[in-house]
Amino acid sequence: MSALRFPDLPPSEPQGSDLLAQERSRTTFSVHDLSNFIYGEEYLERQEKFLGLIENEPAFDKSDRYFLGRTERFAGALRKDHALVKLAEQEKWTPEEFQQADILIDESGPFGLHRSMFMPTLVSQGTEEQHELFLKPALRYEVIGCYAQTEIGHGSNVQGIETTATYIPETNEFELHTPYLTACKWWIGGLGKAANHAVVMARLISNGKDYGPHALCVPIRSMEDHTLLPGVMAGDIGPKFGFNTTDNGCMWFDHYRVPHVSLLSKYSSVKPGSGEYIKPPNSKLSYGTMVLIRASLVGYARISLAKAATIATRYSAIRRQFVDKDQPKMMGKQVIETPVLDYSMQQYRLFPIIAAAYACHFTSKEMMRLYYLNIKNMASGNFSLLADVHASSSGLKSLTTTMAAASIEECRRACGGHGFSSFSGLPLLLQDYAPNVTWEGDNYMITQQTGRYLFKSFRDLVAKRAAGKFSATQITNPTLAYLNTYLDNPDLKCPATTPSQFHNPEIQLAAYGHRAAHMIAEIVHGLDVEKRSWNSMLVEIYNASVAHCQLILVQNFILGIRGDMPQPEGIAATPLTPAAKEALTDLSDLFALHQIHKQPGEFLTSGYIDAKHVSMMSKAIMDVMDKKIRPNAVGFVDAFAFPDYYLNSALGRFDGKVYEAYTEMATREPINQTEVVEGYEQYIKPFTNPKGLKGKSIQARL
């Protein structure tokens, strides 16, 4: 029993539960209907079922999560991952159901990369023989894998990795070797202690020729006792800023031989004996796993944005500060302190984050649709979508993860001092989310991939127009559509004359499209005409990628609300109710206008808007936040349908009992389990009571 006992007193009136009830009574739409639109009824029903299973399993208990050190948390994560696999087998879950349960448990673990990187790579790059040899045992967790690409000296620059895989024709083997310290594999999730196999990216060398990075699936630990195999050295890289329940590892090889079948050979291969290299039909076929992961990260950004916004918005509706003399807050007939959420500054901080979560929802759905459509097309030899999907997934990964990381921190700060407490749920969320801005390509580096695609598209379009070989009726690519509109009229001006006109989605889309196209045109001119170096334009290239991807987010938000987004084959869209459609339109307006208002420079430079327009937008933003979004703020975050178990936050509780939960959590702090701290006799008493006086306080002795 804790030595810390709080008095049995309620918080002062009004109670948090009453304040949230009042908020919910003001919502203009059905929260359930909006949740159903986001997830579908089947997903929500499954969530209730999963909660009943998960909350009763000790391995998934979250009550001590904020009190444990790294060693204890990793041991708990191993137990959790084992229990989750066994539960999935027992319940016969599909991969989608497994993922939904894993999201609720919300803790990275040593088997995470086995599911998210190792097996998808085997699926996309392995032959049928390799599926039998590696994938089927991996599905049964007999083989537990990781994805060993990053090296201590090379991360985002995959082409620069130094680990070698040299074909030995005499024995029909590949020899893996680490020639330099900088070639040590590093940051590999699951490698530290859990994995017994690895997909290793290494430079393929055959007949003396270097063919660049290729993937090999290799055993690294004994299947009998889990010891490292001869020629393989590996371990954990140590504590990190976050993500400490995953055993990120390091590994190096000493002339380690693996059989010929280890080279994943669906698209490229080495002929046994001769060592002849068979190149892939398309050099970008291996991008499949990369595109899947980057597209998935957009969805994870949505979840993280929504989680942070839910906690901060509910708490801001309960937390009261000062009395607004101009507009005093009434609860019945009593004047109360103003809820923080009523202050326009708090709204400006939080409401765009709620809007961003919904924006990422629509774009995540569209990116996954395009990914699967592209996979289907490539299977029949059609690669027309690949470049666009790869470029968009790179830019969107950069933009959305940067947005999410910054927004989680903004939500933490918006909770004031209590946001600094782990019990808010926000510090751990930030720590565990932070790696997303770096892995799968550093956020500033991978935008160059988006830039190259945009500049090539622009050059091709200009050339076709000049040759008279282009017609606007031929456009099926949204990128070409806005570039073509710009080339038709590069001096286009915004027609808005009042703040209310900025709620017109066509004006919003024109502003974003014109700005992105203008930036692309300027960069192409700088590269091709002024002969500036690529390196000298990296800042502009990054900004152009951001502009392009912000347009995608705005466009998908608008189309998603209208019901005009394409749907995956065989799946019917859940329609929005009129009330929910109107409310989401308010969020869409805020998302579009806030981005311009926050960084107007590029929009002004493009010439589409001027300073007066920015001033009008400021009024439009404040009006939509105060009059439209404020009454629905709690309803918007409730619609994310996150149970308290998932949030694990004293501040974000659905029932509003913030202070009761907060103080109860403090009683569970391990150092509160004794009244006198361990170490008192050795470190405190020698100063405060060196003579061992008993029964008298300092005051009494005085």
Side-chain angles (χ1 to χ4, degrees):
M1 179 180 291
S2 175
L4 178 66
R5 298 182 182 87
F6 287 93
D8 188 18
L9 297 171
S12 60
E13 295 292 340
Q15 298 300 302
S17 54
D18 294 333
L19 287 165
L20 285 186
Q22 184 183 66
E23 292 286 341
R24 289 171 177 136
S25 70
R26 300 167 63 193
T27 305
T28 64
F29 58 88
S30 164
V31 169
H32 176 77
D33 286 347
L34 185 51
S35 296
N36 189 36
F37 173 78
I38 297 169
Y39 303 106
E41 196 70 49
E42 183 181 351
Y43 183 98
L44 296 171
E45 290 173 357
R46 279 204 311 262
Q47 179 166 278
E48 288 302 312
K49 176 186 174 184
F50 290 167
L51 277 174
L53 293 169
I54 290 169
E55 288 186 292
N56 293 320
E57 168 54 58
F60 307 142
D61 179 35
K62 297 184 180 183
S63 60
D64 289 333
R65 187 171 286 185
Y66 299 134
F67 306 114
L68 302 178
R70 200 223 164 179
T71 302
E72 297 165 306
R73 288 198 68 202
F74 179 69
L78 266 176
R79 181 188 181 201
K80 179 266 294 182
D81 273 3
H82 174 268
L84 185 58
V85 171
K86 300 303 289 184
L87 183 59
E89 292 174 352
Q90 172 190 308
E91 298 295 320
K92 296 180 171 56
W93 284 344
T94 65
E96 293 75 19
E97 290 170 328
F98 188 104
Q99 183 183 38
Q100 186 175 352
D102 197 26
I103 287 171
L104 283 173
I105 297 167
D106 191 33
E107 183 172 64
S108 66
F111 297 173
L113 275 294
H114 172 72
R115 292 186 289 269
S116 67
M117 289 293 290
F118 180 75
M119 288 198 288
T121 303
L122 295 179
V123 169
S124 64
Q125 298 187 44
T127 63
E128 289 187 13
E129 179 188 8
Q130 290 166 331
H131 287 175
E132 289 290 329
L133 189 61
F134 302 123
L135 180 59
K136 288 188 177 180
L139 289 167
R140 299 189 296 268
Y141 286 81
E142 294 166 9
V143 163
I144 297 174
C146 59
Y147 185 80
Q149 176 171 291
T150 300
E151 297 174 353
I152 195 170
H154 289 88
S156 298
N157 179 18
V158 179
Q159 294 301 317
I161 63 172
E162 297 172 321
T163 301
T164 57
T166 303
Y167 180 63
I168 310 297
E170 292 80 5
T171 58
N172 196 31
E173 293 176 305
F174 292 98
E175 184 175 273
L176 287 167
H177 186 60
T178 303
Y180 310 105
L181 180 63
T182 46
C184 289
K185 296 298 180 183
W186 203 268
W187 288 114
I188 313 304
L191 168 62
K193 293 296 176 182
N196 55 31
H197 279 65
V199 166
V200 178
M201 290 297 290
R203 308 194 71 81
L204 177 62
I205 299 171
S206 185
N207 294 327
K209 185 173 180 180
D210 185 337
Y211 291 96
H214 284 66
L216 298 91
C217 184
V218 304
I220 58 173
R221 288 186 171 96
S222 166
M223 300 291 281
E224 295 180 5
D225 61 8
H226 208 60
T227 55
L228 291 165
L229 296 175
V232 180
M233 287 69 71
D236 189 272
I237 64 170
K240 308 168 291 266
F241 178 77
F243 223 67
N244 281 302
T245 46
T246 293
D247 52 329
N248 292 87
C250 54
M251 177 168 61
W252 59 103
F253 303 102
D254 183 9
H255 301 284
Y256 177 55
R257 297 284 185 95
V258 295
H260 178 271
V261 74
S262 299
L263 179 68
L264 297 184
S265 303
K266 183 174 182 178
Y267 298 118
S268 60
S269 60
V270 170
K271 281 189 176 181
S274 70
E276 180 187 349
Y277 178 71
I278 310 300
K279 66 180 183 179
N282 187 300
S283 61
K284 295 182 174 61
L285 279 169
S286 60
Y287 285 11
T289 304
M290 187 189 306
V291 171
L292 173 61
I293 298 300
R294 289 177 179 175
S296 300
L297 288 175
V298 179
Y300 186 42
R302 193 280 299 177
I303 294 172
S304 302
L305 283 161
K307 183 178 184 180
T310 298
I311 294 169
T313 301
R314 286 179 181 166
Y315 178 61
S316 295
I318 293 167
R319 181 70 174 187
R320 307 187 304 277
Q321 297 276 30
F322 311 109
V323 173
D324 187 340
K325 294 180 181 179
D326 298 322
Q327 293 178 307
K329 181 78 171 180
M330 303 295 294
M331 196 77 173
K333 296 181 179 180
Q334 180 185 359
V335 175
I336 64 170
E337 287 182 279
T338 303
V340 175
L341 199 57
D342 281 350
Y343 290 107
S344 60
M345 190 66 244
Q346 192 78 343
Q347 294 172 15
Y348 191 80
R349 297 170 76 183
L350 294 182
F351 292 175
I353 297 174
I354 299 174
Y358 279 94
C360 287
H361 163 73
F362 289 107
T363 290
S364 170
K365 287 183 65 175
E366 176 61 4
M367 286 306 301
M368 294 308 296
R369 184 192 73 83
L370 288 172
Y371 167 75
Y372 286 112
L373 178 60
N374 179 56
I375 291 296
K376 179 182 177 182
N377 289 352
M378 287 199 305
S380 60
N382 178 359
F383 299 99
S384 60
L385 268 179
L386 181 59
D388 191 79
V389 172
H390 176 250
S392 295
S393 68
S394 299
L396 285 166
K397 181 270 175 185
S398 171
L399 174 60
T400 59
T401 58
T402 297
M403 283 167 46
S407 296
I408 294 166
E409 172 63 5
E410 187 63 39
C411 286
R412 188 195 66 75
R413 294 183 182 188
C415 290
H418 294 324
F420 196 66
S421 169
S422 291
F423 302 152
S424 71
L426 293 167
L428 184 59
L429 174 60
L430 177 62
Q431 291 163 11
D432 284 350
Y433 189 80
N436 285 271
V437 303
T438 304
W439 62 30
E440 290 309 307
D442 172 79
N443 277 6
Y444 291 93
M445 185 283 301
I446 60 171
T447 54
Q448 295 178 64
Q449 298 170 17
T450 310
R452 287 190 181 94
Y453 168 74
L454 294 174
F455 310 148
K456 182 180 184 301
S457 298
F458 184 82
R459 292 184 184 107
D460 290 348
L461 181 59
V462 169
K464 287 180 180 178
R465 285 170 60 102
K469 297 179 180 179
F470 184 82
S471 169
T473 58
Q474 300 172 336
I475 294 177
T476 57
N477 184 320
T479 302
L480 294 181
Y482 79 78
L483 292 175
N484 192 58
T485 298
Y486 174 81
L487 290 170
D488 281 343
N489 188 359
D491 297 320
L492 186 67
K493 303 298 180 185
C494 175
T497 56
T498 65
S500 63
Q501 288 177 316
F502 280 101
H503 297 303
N504 182 340
E506 302 308 321
I507 288 179
Q508 296 166 9
L509 289 171
Y512 276 88
H514 196 84
R515 167 242 202 166
H518 174 79
M519 295 171 72
I520 293 165
E522 289 291 300
I523 293 170
V524 170
H525 184 269
L527 292 170
D528 296 355
V529 178
E530 298 176 6
K531 302 300 180 182
R532 290 180 60 186
S533 70
W534 183 267
N535 183 49
S536 73
M537 301 198 74
L538 284 179
V539 174
E540 291 98 324
I541 292 166
Y542 171 80
N543 291 335
S545 173
V546 169
H548 171 73
C549 293
Q550 284 180 340
L551 171 59
I552 292 175
L553 287 170
V554 171
Q555 183 169 267
N556 286 337
F557 205 160
I558 291 168
L559 293 176
I561 294 170
R562 287 178 178 172
D564 291 340
M565 282 185 71
Q567 294 298 307
E569 188 175 336
I571 298 178
T574 302
L576 269 172
T577 63
K581 190 172 187 176
E582 182 180 347
L584 277 186
T585 299
D586 296 330
L587 276 185
S588 174
D589 285 349
L590 176 61
F591 181 75
L593 298 180
H594 177 260
Q595 300 294 330
I596 302 174
H597 187 257
K598 188 171 67 171
Q599 292 181 309
E602 293 163 358
F603 292 90
L604 291 167
T605 303
S606 76
Y608 182 75
I609 64 171
D610 58 30
K612 290 181 180 178
H613 289 133
V614 176
S615 181
M616 290 180 203
M617 263 184 265
S618 180
K619 186 176 188 310
I621 289 169
M622 301 313 293
D623 283 348
V624 76
M625 287 197 309
D626 181 51
K627 296 174 183 176
K628 299 290 189 71
I629 297 175
R630 174 63 188 90
N632 286 322
V634 171
F636 280 133
V637 298
D638 282 354
F640 293 134
F642 293 145
D644 285 340
Y645 170 80
Y646 170 71
L647 294 175
N648 198 26
S649 167
L651 306 188
R653 288 176 61 97
F654 183 86
D655 63 9
K657 294 184 177 180
V658 167
Y659 301 113
E660 297 94 323
Y662 197 5
T663 51
E664 188 279 327
M665 281 183 163
T667 66
R668 288 190 269 122
E669 164 57 49
I671 64 174
N672 283 332
Q673 302 313 301
T674 58
E675 184 175 348
V676 177
V677 68
E678 183 180 347
Y680 163 75
E681 292 286 342
Q682 188 174 1
Y683 303 116
I684 298 177
K685 186 177 179 180
F687 292 126
T688 62
N689 191 4
K691 296 181 180 179
L693 299 176
K694 296 182 179 180
K696 291 185 178 182
S697 65
I698 291 176
Q699 290 84 356
R701 293 203 298 273
L702 291 175

